[in-house]
Amino acid sequence: MTLLNDPRTRHRRLGVAAVAAGLLAALLTAGPAAATPDPGDGPAAREKVSRSDAAEVKAAVASGEIPGQDEIFHSDNVQHLTNIPKDALPGINSDLAFQGKYAFAGNYDGFRVLDISNPKAPKTVSQVLCPGSQNDISVSGNLLFLSTDSSRSDNSCNSTTQPATEKSSWEGMKVFDITDKANPKYVAAVETACGSHTHSLVPERKNVYIYVSSYSPSATFPDCQPPHDGISVIKVPRNAPEKAAVVNFPVLFPGEGPDGGGNPGSPTNPGVSKTTGCHDITVLPSKDLAAGACMGDGILFSIKDPEHPKVIDQVQDNVNFAFWHSATFNQKADKVVFTDELGGGGAATCNAAIGPNRGADGIYDIVGKGDRRKLVFRSYYKIPRHQADTENCVAHNGSLIPVKGKDLMVQAWYQGGVSVWDFTDSARPKEIAYFERGPLSTDTLQVGGSWSAYYYNGYIYSNDIAKGFDVLKLTDRRTDPAQRVHLRELNVQTQPDYFD
């Protein structure tokens, strides 16, 4: 079903009632709630909602206030070209990377290579079984990189789960040769402290540097000891990837004592995640900059020396941000969008009870020059359509849409769908397009929806946790100029200079 681009045509009343009992009761308190980690590498949880909430969802579906179960809604300027369901890999779909005519789709059970030369009919080229959440994915030249952030029995693709309390357990980075897209070859593995939840590439001619983000240390984990207030830096020689190794562990939040120097979290800052590392980093090599979303902190740092990144500024939002999740620069590098993954991606936070400023994007201007630059808060952005209490929804992964003179972004919101929005005016962001499905269930909260939604060479590609790989076509005078920009490769956490 297609609707006019007006949030009033589908402004949901859901969420005024209490959120599913026992799931996120803390979200309804005066302060922000503690974030939970991203979904684990087990099956997605299903949380039973109250009878009254389930009845409200069903009534809203019947009245047309929200889409029916799995029904598709989108603005008039969006066309849904196709969906490619999951195939051999049944796990949670995760991040995306692109190279030439190929898309690389992460999955908690491995990764999938798709030929997108015809965006209306993508074809699976290969599927690699290699379990280990999240399998955050990126590519550079003939190399593919895969993050493992679940404790495994060894570094092979045949490993099994094993407690992190055992010294022999393994977590870290895996490297594949993708010269033959139909037959990727596993060539190297590097163990990193606390594993690799996400990673970001700083590519050079002869080497690829990898910034590895991980968190949640414990004194009981031999390979993940507190305070863990830094990131692992891996150097991968392109011509000898088997020699990949950790070359540094820069401490981004120096401080005395076992807790380090990041956000202390609760009880000092109730409901805010304690900083014990970073969740995700976005680098902008053309400007020698990086932005880190680090649990309780947002940071801006210089990567002039990629082996020794240097923090320039550090900010917190202890009122509305529970878990700093990811970051996106604008093209001029004078703004950063930080996302708050309130509820860890497994909760219903896009409702009236939570409001517009939590589980949202925070838009920051970069003010000043050189190492004196500062991050200055301007506003929040959240999708203007309330979601059902059976839909997990929160700000998640997105990318720029390259239009000169404008700051436009496409972004995934789990079961909130895909949102295209304009933050050219930092203080007044606005949505200009959207795509979403109705809830997976009207009785239980099931984890699903768009994990990542990225713009690549004229199309929007979304990796839906449950439904598979979606391709969207955006036709709008405000975004049409982006169709003239073509990239040979895109890892969203390594932002290109689109107009160089």
Side-chain angles (χ1 to χ4, degrees):
M1 184 182 296
T2 302
L3 295 181
L4 294 175
N5 186 28
D6 183 349
R8 291 174 298 177
T9 63
R10 233 201 90 258
H11 192 73
R12 299 182 180 179
R13 60 185 174 86
L14 294 176
V16 178
V19 178
L23 177 64
L24 272 188
L27 288 175
L28 302 182
T29 62
T36 58
D38 288 8
D41 62 340
R46 300 187 178 193
E47 296 283 346
K48 194 72 176 178
V49 301
S50 68
R51 290 184 178 180
S52 61
D53 285 351
E56 188 180 6
V57 172
K58 291 174 182 177
V61 169
S63 67
E65 285 190 65
I66 69 169
Q69 190 167 338
D70 292 334
E71 183 183 0
I72 290 175
F73 262 51
H74 55 80
S75 53
D76 279 342
N77 51 1
V78 171
Q79 181 182 3
H80 185 215
L81 297 184
T82 191
N83 169 264
I84 308 300
K86 292 182 184 180
D87 190 4
L89 304 175
I92 292 172
N93 279 336
S94 57
D95 211 2
L96 294 169
F98 304 89
Q99 186 180 84
K101 66 176 185 179
Y102 298 100
F104 303 83
N107 179 286
Y108 277 42
D109 286 326
F111 65 92
R112 187 180 194 178
V113 182
L114 297 111
D115 182 336
I116 56 172
S117 54
N118 179 3
K120 294 181 180 179
K123 297 179 180 178
T124 297
V125 176
S126 59
Q127 298 181 78
V128 176
L129 179 64
C130 196
S133 68
Q134 300 180 137
N135 278 338
D136 192 49
I137 194 168
S138 59
V139 294
S140 183
N142 65 344
L143 298 177
L144 179 147
F145 305 93
L146 208 62
S147 284
T148 300
D149 192 33
S150 60
S151 186
R152 314 296 298 179
S153 57
D154 56 53
N155 65 11
S156 75
C157 286
N158 298 316
S159 67
T160 58
T161 58
Q162 183 170 291
T165 52
E166 296 187 23
K167 176 62 179 173
S168 62
S169 295
W170 184 91
E171 299 179 64
M173 288 297 310
K174 294 169 181 168
V175 184
F176 291 78
D177 186 315
I178 54 170
T179 303
D180 181 359
K181 305 296 189 294
N183 186 30
K185 297 179 180 179
Y186 184 14
V187 296
V190 180
E191 186 171 16
T192 55
C194 299
S196 175
H197 193 68
T198 65
H199 68 270
S200 309
L201 304 186
V202 185
E204 295 185 334
R205 184 169 298 177
K206 294 183 178 180
N207 305 298
V208 180
Y209 287 96
I210 308 175
Y211 291 166
V212 176
S213 296
S214 54
Y215 56 96
S216 295
S218 169
T220 65
F221 299 162
D223 299 318
C224 183
Q225 293 286 298
H228 190 71
D229 272 343
I231 58 174
S232 296
V233 179
I234 297 174
K235 182 179 180 179
V236 185
R238 291 189 185 275
N239 294 331
E242 69 279 1
K243 295 182 180 179
V246 175
V247 294
N248 194 16
F249 187 86
V251 176
L252 303 178
F253 304 98
E256 298 180 0
D259 294 330
N263 197 319
S266 298
T268 303
N269 297 315
V272 177
S273 292
K274 176 182 176 182
T275 298
T276 58
C278 290
H279 179 277
D280 210 344
I281 292 169
T282 292
V283 301
L284 190 59
S286 64
K287 299 291 193 296
D288 290 328
L289 282 176
C294 304
M295 305 181 72
D297 296 87
I299 59 173
L300 181 71
F301 54 102
S302 167
I303 58 170
K304 288 182 180 179
D305 180 351
E307 288 192 24
H308 302 89
K310 175 185 176 182
V311 174
I312 296 173
D313 194 25
Q314 174 183 352
V315 292
Q316 297 178 359
D317 179 348
N318 295 318
V319 175
N320 287 313
F321 262 48
F323 188 88
W324 295 67
H325 176 276
S326 52
T328 302
F329 288 99
N330 69 335
Q331 180 61 34
K332 291 183 179 179
D334 59 7
K335 299 174 189 174
V336 181
V337 174
F338 288 103
T339 67
D340 172 28
E341 195 186 40
L342 175 68
T349 73
C350 296
N351 50 35
I354 303 303
N357 297 337
R358 301 165 66 194
D361 296 317
I363 304 166
Y364 286 74
D365 284 353
I366 301 175
V367 178
K369 296 182 179 180
D371 289 352
R372 295 185 177 180
R373 283 173 284 193
K374 297 291 183 182
L375 293 165
V376 179
F377 174 77
R378 294 302 187 204
S379 66
Y380 298 106
Y381 170 75
K382 194 171 185 178
I383 56 173
R385 294 167 307 286
H386 291 152
Q387 305 295 305
D389 286 340
T390 58
E391 293 179 283
N392 62 307
C393 175
V394 76
H396 213 236
N397 295 345
S399 75
L400 289 184
I401 298 177
V403 175
K404 283 188 176 181
K406 297 290 184 180
D407 295 325
L408 307 174
M409 186 173 176
V410 58
Q411 187 176 5
W413 289 78
Y414 289 112
Q415 285 193 72
V418 175
S419 177
V420 179
W421 57 291
D422 184 336
F423 63 104
T424 305
D425 183 343
S426 303
R428 296 175 179 82
K430 58 183 179 181
E431 184 174 73
I432 61 176
Y434 67 89
F435 168 90
E436 67 165 305
R437 290 182 170 90
L440 288 171
S441 169
T442 57
D443 296 305
T444 60
L445 193 156
Q446 301 177 22
V447 173
S450 180
W451 179 288
S452 298
Y454 299 147
Y455 186 93
Y456 178 69
N457 293 351
Y459 296 87
I460 293 171
Y461 297 92
S462 168
N463 211 19
D464 188 288
I465 288 172
K467 296 298 182 181
F469 186 75
D470 287 304
V471 185
L472 309 176
K473 181 64 175 177
L474 175 64
T475 303
D476 189 290
R477 59 179 176 77
R478 294 164 289 189
T479 60
D480 287 347
Q483 296 180 35
R484 296 191 291 267
V485 178
H486 279 257
L487 304 176
R488 291 177 293 177
E489 192 171 270
L490 177 63
N491 302 294
V492 169
Q493 288 73 35
T494 304
Q495 280 191 220
D497 185 338
Y498 288 97
F499 305 112
D500 183 4

